[in-house]
Amino acid sequence: SWGSELWDGYSSVLSHVTRGCDELSSIFAKFIKEKEDMEKEYAKNIRKLVSKYTHKMEGKETTQAKGFRLLLQEMGYQAGQHKILAEMFTKELQEDIQEKTKELSEATKTNHKGAKKLSDVLDTVYKDLDKTRNKYQRSFLDWEDAKEEYIKATEEGILSRKEIAKLKSLSDSRNAQCEDYKGAYASQLMKTNKAQAEYYYNSLPGVLNCLENIEKDRINYLKHVLGQCVVAEKRAAHIIDK
């Protein structure tokens, strides 16, 4: 599935699916419209030609005239088949393609919004991890400075006991704060690992599989539409060949 095979390429997959949806309207709907116009115009011109030369053969009973009238009659049948073929490529089919395009596009946009929301949630978790790590790092450095000051004062013996006691109290206080931030960082790290696993093993594969279903729906729909066109062409050709 796309969820397991394309987990690192969501943007590319989204572009592919979006492009496929757009082509339903920009290519295939236009093709159907142009095909309808062409078949209508062809049928119209053939009938016009048949009518023109049928009038010229009126009243003539020669073998040549009879043979020509049979040809004109056959051409009239052919014009009818092209008109029927044109009706297959009607505005109704074109509108159906446009409606399907809209449906698939909306599903794709909804998928994109959902994927962005999931990504934003993970980004927020990452930012929270950065904040707690930075607080822990700053707190650790502050404790190191306070501890060094206390050790230095103790070793030098210049400061009074009261001042040394204050330095010790500051060192202990910063150590306690550092431990709190360390705990908060460890907790956030676990939360981040859990969120990351959920995103890459469940959430992201889910939205990718959804895109795959949208793509399958589009392909099956297009196969159905083009299949209808082929069937209509074959029917018309079969009747014309007769």
Side-chain angles (χ1 to χ4, degrees):
S1 68
W2 285 8
S4 60
E5 297 172 0
L6 303 174
W7 61 270
D8 60 342
Y10 179 80
S11 295
S12 297
V13 173
L14 178 66
S15 295
H16 169 76
V17 174
T18 300
R19 183 166 58 253
C21 292
D22 291 341
E23 286 180 352
L24 274 181
S25 176
S26 64
I27 295 178
F28 298 105
K30 288 184 178 180
F31 164 77
I32 296 296
K33 176 66 172 65
E34 291 179 17
K35 178 66 172 172
E36 177 194 15
D37 293 341
M38 184 185 75
E39 294 293 349
K40 280 184 177 179
E41 188 64 21
Y42 184 77
K44 177 183 175 182
N45 289 335
I46 288 294
R47 283 180 169 171
K48 185 177 180 181
L49 184 67
V50 168
S51 177
K52 176 180 178 181
Y53 282 91
T54 297
H55 288 311
K56 290 187 177 184
M57 289 295 104
E58 287 180 355
K60 297 182 180 181
E61 297 299 329
T62 63
T63 301
Q64 177 176 283
K66 290 179 180 179
F68 188 43
R69 275 199 293 270
L70 286 175
L71 172 62
L72 293 174
Q73 185 180 43
E74 183 62 29
M75 289 177 64
Y77 293 150
Q78 291 182 14
Q81 289 307 309
H82 283 286
K83 187 175 185 300
I84 292 174
L85 192 57
E87 290 173 354
M88 192 273 161
F89 299 93
T90 58
K91 185 178 180 182
E92 182 177 345
L93 178 57
Q94 296 162 37
E95 289 178 348
D96 186 65
I97 294 176
Q98 296 288 4
E99 188 62 30
K100 189 64 177 180
T101 300
K102 181 181 178 181
E103 174 192 325
L104 294 174
S105 295
E106 288 178 351
T108 303
K109 289 177 181 177
T110 298
N111 180 276
H112 184 210
K113 288 180 180 178
K116 187 177 184 306
K117 184 177 180 180
L118 291 171
S119 179
D120 288 345
V121 169
L122 186 62
D123 286 342
T124 298
V125 173
Y126 284 148
K127 289 177 181 178
D128 289 342
L129 179 64
D130 287 339
K131 290 177 182 178
T132 56
R133 181 176 59 244
N134 291 336
K135 285 182 179 180
Y136 168 56
Q137 288 174 339
R138 286 195 302 268
S139 177
F140 179 79
L141 293 175
D142 289 343
W143 171 55
E144 285 282 293
D145 290 342
K147 184 174 66 172
E148 288 178 7
E149 286 293 323
Y150 166 65
I151 293 173
K152 181 180 178 182
T154 302
E155 291 176 348
E156 291 179 344
I158 298 175
L159 299 177
S160 65
R161 289 182 179 180
K162 186 176 181 181
E163 289 173 322
I164 291 176
K166 285 183 178 179
L167 290 176
K168 184 178 184 306
S169 176
L170 178 62
S171 176
D172 291 343
S173 173
R174 290 191 174 175
N175 181 35
Q177 186 180 55
C178 180
E179 287 299 317
D180 288 342
Y181 282 135
K182 181 181 179 180
Y185 173 55
S187 176
Q188 185 61 39
L189 183 59
M190 291 178 62
K191 182 179 179 181
T192 301
N193 289 337
K194 183 179 179 181
Q196 188 172 259
E198 175 66 23
Y199 178 77
Y200 284 107
Y201 289 103
N202 293 314
S203 302
L204 183 57
V207 294
L208 282 167
N209 287 335
C210 182
L211 281 180
E212 184 177 14
N213 290 333
I214 294 172
E215 178 73 352
K216 287 179 179 178
D217 188 16
R218 180 188 68 82
I219 291 172
N220 289 333
Y221 175 76
L222 184 58
K223 284 170 62 178
H224 172 69
V225 170
L226 296 182
Q228 284 184 308
C229 296
V230 170
V231 169
E233 292 279 359
K234 286 183 177 180
R235 286 177 180 173
H238 178 70
I239 294 174
I240 290 172
D241 287 342
K242 287 183 178 181

